[in-house]
Amino acid sequence: MKQLQNKLQTPAKMDKISHRFLQVNGLKLHIAEIGSDSSPAVIFLHGFPEIWYTWRHQMIAVANAGFKAIAPDYRGYGLSDPPAEPDKASYDDFVNDIASILDSLDISKVFVIAKDFGVWVAYSFVLLHEEKTAGIVTLGMAFMPPNAYKHHLSLPEGFYVQRWQEPGRAETDFGRFDVKTVIRNIYILFSRSEIPIADENQEIMDLVRPLSPLPSWFTEDDLATYVALYEKSGFQTALQVPYRSSKLNLGYGEQVPKVKAPTMVIISEEDYASKVPGVDEYIRSGEVKKYIPNVEIVHVPNGSHFVHEQFPNHVNQLILTFLDHNKHVKK
C-alpha cells in the first residue's frame, strides 16, 4: 500500500501525455494517451461539459502504476471531428467509435472508466463487447434498466435535462453568453449538491449568478483549456448526445442483461445526480446487484459530480486498487 501511496503523490506531468488522431468510422478522432503499448489498457470516457482533459489526474496515476491510459474526445467534442449530421448523432455512434479506437490500437482487453453520460457509453460497450472488457469503473451512476430509470425520473419541467432536450432552447440560453461563461456556469452548477432546476420564467444559465467563483479545485487555467476546445467544437453534438439522442443499444430485447465484468461504482454523496428520485435507493437497497452481481459500491463523503477532479488522490487510489486486483485479466 505504501508503494501505491507514493505513486498517488506523483505530480501530474501533463507534458508526458501525448496526443494523436485516428481515422475512425470516417472521422478523425483525437485521443490523449500515456503509458507503454505493452501495458494493460485503460480507456477513460468523459461526460458533459468535459473533454479528455477531465481525466488528466487519473491518466498520470494509472500510467505511473504500469497501465496504458487512453482518453478520447467523442466525435463532435474537443479536437475530434464532428459527425456529418450532428443532429443525428447517437449513443451508438459513440460506442462504435470506442470499439473502433481499441481495434485501431490493437487492444483486445481493456478496463473502462467513465462518468456522467459516459457511464451509458461504457455500459453499452461492456454489454456488447464482454470479450473485450477486463473491468469497469463508473463514477456517479451505476447500470440501471431503462424502465426503472424512467420510473425514477419524476422531476419538474425545469430540470436541466428536460430543458436541454428541447431543440433550440439550450442554444438560445447559451447564445446570450460567450463560451467561457457557459462552461464556467455549467461547471459551477454541476458542482453543487442541488439538482439544477429552473423556475418557469428562468433559464438554466440564470441559476448561476454573475461572478460566482469556480470550485476551489478547478482553476482558471483548467477553464481556459475547456473553453479553447468548446470554442472549436461548439455545443451542437454535445447537446445531441447525451440530451437529445434516445438510441442506446444495451444488447438485449425483453430481458434486462447483467453486467458480468468486475465493476466498481464510485458514488459521491454530494453529487446532484444521486439526488434524482430513486437513484440513491436503487444503490443502497442492493437492487443494483440484480444487474451488476460483481459490483463494489464506494461512497465518497463530500464528493461532488466532479469527484475525480475534486479529490484526485482518493479517486486514483480507488481506481488503482481496482485495477491491481483485476489486472490478471490479460490484454
Side-chain angles (χ1 to χ4, degrees), residues 126-167:
V126 167
L127 290 168
L128 293 170
H129 302 281
E130 288 183 0
E131 76 288 352
K132 293 179 179 290
T133 306
I136 177 171
V137 178
T138 61
L139 280 62
M141 289 185 276
F143 176 75
M144 182 181 284
N147 60 340
Y149 188 73
K150 290 176 183 177
H151 174 73
H152 293 150
L153 198 57
S154 54
L155 289 166
E157 174 276 336
F159 180 42
Y160 81 96
V161 171
Q162 292 170 235
R163 287 288 182 88
W164 291 353
Q165 284 174 341
E166 183 181 333

Side-chain angles (χ1 to χ4, degrees), residues 12 14 17 53-62 217 222 308-310 312-313 316:
M14 291 293 293
I17 297 177
Y53 181 81
T54 193
W55 295 112
R56 58 199 179 281
H57 304 298
Q58 287 68 47
M59 292 179 71
I60 299 291
V62 302
W217 37 264
D222 294 331
H308 62 302
E309 294 182 278
Q310 179 187 12
N313 285 350
N316 291 350

Side-chain angles (χ1 to χ4, degrees), residues 79-100:
L79 294 173
S80 291
D81 283 349
E85 298 180 277
D87 60 343
K88 294 182 180 178
S90 71
Y91 274 98
D92 284 356
D93 292 333
F94 286 22
V95 175
N96 292 336
D97 287 345
I98 298 307
S100 296

Side-chain angles (χ1 to χ4, degrees), residues 168-199:
R169 186 150 191 176
E171 289 87 339
T172 300
D173 186 12
F174 292 4
R176 297 178 293 153
F177 307 96
D178 60 17
V179 171
K180 181 176 182 179
T181 302
V182 172
I183 297 296
R184 174 187 285 271
N185 284 357
I186 296 173
Y187 237 89
I188 291 170
L189 192 62
F190 285 8
S191 296
R192 297 172 179 171
S193 60
E194 303 86 7
I195 299 172
I197 299 174
D199 292 334

Side-chain angles (χ1 to χ4, degrees), residues 43-47 55 70 72 74 98 112-115 118-119 121-122:
I43 192 164
F44 293 89
L45 305 181
H46 64 79
W55 295 112
I70 304 148
Y74 303 123
I98 298 307
V112 184
I113 300 179
K115 75 168 294 285
V119 167
V121 178

Side-chain angles (χ1 to χ4, degrees), residues 104-129:
S104 296
L105 298 175
D106 195 28
I107 294 171
S108 58
K109 279 281 187 183
V110 69
F111 288 98
V112 184
I113 300 179
K115 75 168 294 285
D116 194 65
F117 83 87
V119 167
W120 291 104
V121 178
Y123 282 124
S124 182
F125 172 84
V126 167
L127 290 168
L128 293 170
H129 302 281

